[in-house]
Amino acid sequence: KMSKILTINEQDYTFEFAGEAIFCAECVTELTGFLANISQAENERDIRKLLGGFSRIPKLSLTLFYTGLIEHHGTGRRGDKRVPDMETAKELLLDYINQHKDDEYGSMVGVINMCIQQMEEEGYLKAIGINKVFGGQEQEEGDARSK
């Protein structure tokens, strides 16, 4: 399980979906809601559900980004309290996207992809049980490849 170091405004932040993140109900709610909308839209070819999923992108991006920061920088006992709330995370997210405008992380969707990739690498999706609900087949194939 490897954490990721994000450099934002010339400061390093440890980005990890570990202990504190597992208990972040808002993260689980936002992620599952987004995935449910997208999968329902694919199944039903319902543009309204698809757009409903897309309308969640800014909030999902912020929630996942904040959740990745809380283990080391939140207000919990292990955190250094540099990211005490969602508002602070929002400023960092906007700065991060701006500093990456020329690469794959220069958008809300890019940040979501980075977060989900990090969650998969660290076993977060498996720890909360979401891999069984969405893309369990793909996750299992990924696990088989890594053995």
Side-chain angles (χ1 to χ4, degrees), residues 12-55:
D12 288 343
Y13 293 86
T14 303
F15 195 70
E16 183 176 12
F17 291 91
E20 291 287 329
I22 290 170
F23 297 101
C24 183
E26 187 174 5
C27 179
V28 175
T29 300
E30 286 294 320
L31 186 59
T32 55
F34 176 75
L35 294 173
N37 268 33
I38 298 299
S39 66
Q40 284 175 357
E42 286 175 3
N43 294 341
E44 298 175 13
R45 300 200 187 289
D46 183 343
I47 295 298
R48 285 175 303 215
K49 285 196 173 95
L50 191 60
L51 292 175
F54 291 149
S55 70

Side-chain angles (χ1 to χ4, degrees), residues 39-144:
S39 66
Q40 284 175 357
E42 286 175 3
N43 294 341
E44 298 175 13
R45 300 200 187 289
D46 183 343
I47 295 298
R48 285 175 303 215
K49 285 196 173 95
L50 191 60
L51 292 175
F54 291 149
S55 70
R56 291 183 138 148
I57 287 174
K59 179 131 176 50
L60 177 62
S61 178
L62 175 58
T63 301
L64 297 183
F65 192 76
Y66 174 65
T67 303
L69 292 169
I70 59 176
E71 178 73 13
H72 296 275
H73 308 293
T75 58
R77 69 181 173 87
R78 294 186 195 153
D80 64 12
K81 301 172 184 36
R82 286 195 289 160
V83 187
D85 52 36
M86 195 76 80
E87 203 53 43
T88 304
K90 184 190 298 180
E91 294 302 318
L92 287 172
L93 173 60
L94 293 172
D95 289 345
Y96 184 77
I97 287 172
N98 189 44
Q99 291 168 20
H100 288 271
K101 61 184 168 228
D102 297 326
D103 67 36
E104 63 189 308
Y105 304 126
S107 70
M108 299 271 176
V109 171
V111 169
I112 290 170
N113 288 337
M114 174 187 74
C115 292
I116 291 175
Q117 181 179 11
Q118 189 70 19
M119 289 172 162
E120 287 174 346
E121 286 175 15
E122 294 180 19
Y124 175 83
L125 299 176
K126 190 174 185 179
I128 62 172
I130 200 172
N131 65 318
K132 298 290 185 205
V133 180
F134 300 103
Q137 181 88 25
E138 188 178 307
Q139 182 71 28
E140 288 168 19
E141 288 170 12
D143 289 348

